[in-house]
Amino acid sequence: MTILMPFSLISDIFTIYSYNKLMKRYLLLFIAFMLHTAAQATDADTTLPQTITRHKRPSKPPVCYLGLSTGINNSPGIFGIDFNIALGKFVTLDAGVGPSTWGNKLYVGAKYYLKEAHRNWAVGGGLTYNSGEENVNLKLNTISGYKEKVSLSLKPQDNAFVAIYHYWTLGHKYNRFFVDLGKSVALHPPHFHETYGDPLTDQAKQSVKRLAPGNFMGGMMVGVGVSFGLYRK
């Protein structure tokens, strides 16, 4: 069993990208951008001043952050956009959207920061909704004994998640770089059916189910991203 697991994971990764080469290209570019950004991130000073000089005019801390992120079981998708609305010094209300292995993904959630200025460690959680997708074309093993092209209809999927985050200051203002680690749990089993092709083997069906949110890599969440502070005038 321990020997087969890595091969199963590799197979699932190839299955994810085999039906969307454009997504793969954008994801690789996005990861390269994140690595470049991470090199510029610095440890946060959680006692950021309440005002800074910007073009010789006072500017207040952001009331909202616009974020970009990528990852495995990432809340806003394989690569997505999200907003963090500051409800106070320690709390943000979050929402985001992006593409995923199971259609478009939406999420809502919240974070509690252990220090002020929305930096350093934070804990959070929320709900995700994947729209599902029609006419997903994959090459999978069928009962005919061959790997054939089949077309699938993926049904919507709901999940809950919890995660821990760490934020660093990016640059000299209120932008941030972050990483997160957590767990995504499916609120119901994933559903799909074939619209074209021979019936799948049980093993092929399990491969498809492992692409569903909360199933891939056992629901482990690993993410990395940047967020840009939006300022009051």
Side-chain angles (χ1 to χ4, degrees):
M1 179 66 69
T2 56
I3 296 177
L4 293 178
M5 283 299 289
F7 289 101
S8 174
L9 176 59
I10 292 172
S11 175
D12 291 344
I13 291 174
F14 275 105
T15 302
I16 287 175
Y17 297 116
S18 63
Y19 70 91
N20 198 325
K21 294 181 179 179
L22 183 62
M23 180 182 290
K24 180 179 180 180
R25 186 180 302 117
Y26 282 137
L27 179 58
L28 291 175
L29 290 173
F30 195 75
I31 292 174
F33 169 73
M34 287 298 178
L35 292 174
H36 173 73
T37 301
Q40 303 180 50
T42 59
D43 287 334
D45 178 1
T46 56
T47 60
L48 290 174
Q50 293 301 305
T51 60
I52 62 175
T53 301
R54 187 185 184 195
H55 302 304
K56 298 182 179 180
R57 290 179 299 177
S59 178
K60 295 182 180 180
V63 295
C64 179
Y65 298 92
L66 171 64
L68 299 171
S69 63
T70 186
I72 299 170
N73 289 312
N74 190 39
S75 299
I78 293 178
F79 47 92
I81 183 173
D82 71 310
F83 289 92
N84 306 151
I85 301 173
L87 299 182
K89 294 180 179 180
F90 300 95
V91 180
T92 60
L93 179 65
D94 311 327
V97 62
S100 75
T101 58
W102 210 263
N104 293 320
K105 190 172 187 177
L106 305 171
Y107 93 95
V108 293
K111 296 189 193 80
Y112 180 82
Y113 300 80
L114 302 186
K115 294 187 177 181
E116 295 183 9
H118 312 123
R119 298 296 193 282
N120 214 283
W121 292 102
V123 294
L127 300 172
T128 64
Y129 171 81
N130 289 72
S131 65
E133 190 170 353
E134 299 295 328
N135 301 318
V136 174
N137 297 315
L138 297 172
K139 283 189 175 182
L140 297 168
N141 292 321
T142 66
I143 60 173
S144 65
Y146 299 96
K147 180 170 285 189
E148 300 177 358
K149 181 179 179 180
V150 299
S151 185
L152 304 177
S153 172
L154 309 179
K155 301 306 178 184
Q157 178 68 34
D158 304 305
N159 283 52
F161 71 91
V162 292
I164 58 174
Y165 304 79
H166 196 284
Y167 287 85
W168 293 267
T169 298
L170 182 62
H172 300 290
K173 297 185 180 178
Y174 291 98
N175 302 328
R176 308 177 297 174
F177 172 80
F178 69 90
V179 296
D180 66 76
L181 178 67
K183 173 75 172 179
S184 176
V185 179
L187 298 182
H188 59 77
H191 298 294
F192 71 93
H193 67 263
E194 293 181 67
T195 57
Y196 172 82
D198 292 333
L200 299 177
T201 64
D202 289 341
Q203 183 180 10
K205 291 178 181 177
Q206 290 302 316
S207 293
V208 175
K209 289 181 179 180
R210 283 196 296 267
L211 300 183
N215 283 7
F216 186 65
M217 291 189 67
M220 180 177 69
M221 291 175 59
V222 179
V224 59
V226 293
S227 58
F228 305 97
L230 307 181
Y231 298 89
R232 295 188 180 97
K233 294 181 179 180

